[in-house]
Amino acid sequence: SEMPRQKSTPTQLHQVQPDARADTADAGAEGAPFTLRVRHPGGTERLTVRSSQTLGALRAAVGELTKVEPLSRVLLYADMGCSEPLLDDDELLGADLHLGHGDMLTMQEKPKPQRKKKADDAGVDGAGAVAKRPKAVAAKVGGEYLSEGKTPRDIAIAFMTPDARMTGEAAYSQMAASARLDAIAEGRVELQTQQKGAKTPQKNLCVQFTGNRRAFEERMPRYNHEELVGIVEEILARQTTASRRTASSASHLLNAEAIARRSPAMFWSIYALDDAGANWDERLQSVTDVASAGLAPGSAPQ
């Protein structure tokens, strides 16, 4: 007769410690403890939580169990095919995230940032000149991104629509996005602004960059600061509730990684705002600050 199957490593149940926000919540509203499952590269953990606890407390517990630190490298995803991690540590597991007994989350470890090369190694001189493309690497045309939309509303809707393209195209999109991030980190970017036509003020960008040891060339519309503010306002207005219509609540969308993947035109237009900040993140902040200030309280998408 066959021996009964047994797990080589029994599943353990872990208790998530209370956090600051849970401690200040009404004790009567905490509800009964329930169990969440978290899948990670090393297996699956079962954690006992309460609805009044925060995502930050859960991430801390998962980081401790999986030995991943710092906390910023612990990424949790709703196990529903979501492409964006849950990042708002102040959200409650119950009221905000609507998690219940037996729900499954997926944990991924954010890669450690690569050490930046020295100027001599990266091919950048002391004055910050753009490195030349390696002669042995031919430029790869990344494509033309000219159909994101005609209005800020259209562009925002396209930006927030999940990527439903074929697998090969989606894989290329991920690769190109990673290369864009590497290129701005290493300063290997050349921008050229081109007039779209003699009778229109619209300008296009031609971008040549080298990222992850590959050379790319891309063309797309150039959005000025005012146009970028309008697009970000539309993105913020499409958050689920009025309390979430802030730049911080949309941080899972309005960051370098997401914008590099979702909208090359926005990504390079922000990079071209060289008078709005010393680096890409500061230039994005200059846009989101104005957009947040201009968004009327309680406004909703049309």
Side-chain angles (χ1 to χ4, degrees), residues 106-212:
T106 298
M107 176 267 185
Q108 293 184 10
E109 182 177 346
K110 185 176 181 180
K112 292 182 179 179
Q114 296 182 352
R115 181 182 63 86
K116 290 187 177 180
K117 299 178 181 178
K118 296 181 181 179
D120 292 341
D121 296 335
V124 181
D125 62 26
V130 177
K132 295 182 179 180
R133 181 184 299 119
K135 293 183 179 180
V137 182
K140 181 169 184 176
V141 176
E144 294 187 348
Y145 302 90
L146 304 177
S147 59
E148 292 189 334
K150 294 183 178 180
T151 67
R153 177 179 180 273
D154 294 337
I155 296 169
I157 292 174
F159 179 88
M160 299 182 71
T161 301
D163 192 346
R165 290 176 291 181
M166 296 175 62
T167 303
E169 294 175 322
Y172 173 79
S173 176
Q174 292 283 358
M175 178 192 70
S178 176
R180 294 178 193 116
L181 296 169
D182 183 66
I184 65 171
E186 299 294 345
R188 297 179 174 179
V189 182
E190 293 180 20
L191 291 179
Q192 291 183 346
T193 300
Q194 302 170 336
Q195 194 75 26
K196 186 174 182 180
K199 297 182 179 181
T200 175
Q202 177 67 53
K203 295 181 179 180
N204 288 339
L205 279 174
C206 177
V207 186
Q208 294 180 330
F209 63 98
T210 302
N212 296 337

Side-chain angles (χ1 to χ4, degrees), residues 15-302:
Q15 182 81 31
V16 176
Q17 297 300 315
D19 55 2
R21 186 172 174 186
D23 289 342
T24 59
D26 181 4
E30 288 187 2
F34 60 94
T35 300
L36 290 178
R37 296 172 295 159
V38 179
R39 181 190 295 117
H40 59 89
T44 301
E45 305 291 347
R46 297 171 66 241
L47 299 98
T48 300
V49 300
R50 291 182 179 272
S51 59
S52 61
Q53 290 180 297
T54 64
L55 175 65
L58 178 61
R59 289 178 63 214
V62 173
E64 182 176 352
L65 289 172
T66 56
K67 310 300 182 185
V68 175
E69 57 181 22
L71 183 60
S72 59
R73 296 182 57 219
V74 178
L75 303 179
L76 289 180
Y77 296 80
D79 201 48
M80 299 168 57
C82 294
S83 60
E84 302 292 344
L86 305 171
L87 292 178
D88 189 345
D89 282 342
D90 288 334
E91 288 190 316
L92 299 177
L93 301 182
D96 297 326
L97 298 177
H98 307 290
L99 296 175
H101 182 74
D103 284 348
M104 174 79 80
L105 300 176
T106 298
M107 176 267 185
Q108 293 184 10
E109 182 177 346
K110 185 176 181 180
K112 292 182 179 179
Q114 296 182 352
R115 181 182 63 86
K116 290 187 177 180
K117 299 178 181 178
K118 296 181 181 179
D120 292 341
D121 296 335
V124 181
D125 62 26
V130 177
K132 295 182 179 180
R133 181 184 299 119
K135 293 183 179 180
V137 182
K140 181 169 184 176
V141 176
E144 294 187 348
Y145 302 90
L146 304 177
S147 59
E148 292 189 334
K150 294 183 178 180
T151 67
R153 177 179 180 273
D154 294 337
I155 296 169
I157 292 174
F159 179 88
M160 299 182 71
T161 301
D163 192 346
R165 290 176 291 181
M166 296 175 62
T167 303
E169 294 175 322
Y172 173 79
S173 176
Q174 292 283 358
M175 178 192 70
S178 176
R180 294 178 193 116
L181 296 169
D182 183 66
I184 65 171
E186 299 294 345
R188 297 179 174 179
V189 182
E190 293 180 20
L191 291 179
Q192 291 183 346
T193 300
Q194 302 170 336
Q195 194 75 26
K196 186 174 182 180
K199 297 182 179 181
T200 175
Q202 177 67 53
K203 295 181 179 180
N204 288 339
L205 279 174
C206 177
V207 186
Q208 294 180 330
F209 63 98
T210 302
N212 296 337
R213 305 173 72 95
R214 297 191 181 191
F216 296 81
E217 181 175 326
E218 297 178 335
R219 297 178 180 86
M220 71 285 299
R222 177 173 181 172
Y223 306 135
N224 59 34
H225 193 275
E226 182 179 358
E227 291 169 328
L228 288 167
V229 168
I231 296 168
V232 172
E233 284 182 347
E234 291 287 345
I235 293 172
L236 296 179
R238 279 166 173 73
Q239 297 304 292
T240 54
T241 64
S243 63
R244 291 174 61 89
R245 292 178 192 129
T246 64
S248 60
S249 68
S251 59
H252 64 293
L253 294 174
L254 298 176
N255 59 68
E257 291 81 3
I259 295 177
R261 185 178 70 256
R262 290 169 176 258
S263 175
M266 282 184 64
F267 181 83
W268 290 121
S269 294
I270 292 170
Y271 182 84
L273 298 175
D274 51 9
D275 60 345
N279 55 49
W280 193 94
D281 289 320
E282 290 184 7
R283 296 165 194 175
L284 172 64
Q285 190 66 48
S286 74
V287 173
T288 57
D289 285 347
V290 178
S292 298
L295 190 64
S299 60
Q302 300 297 317

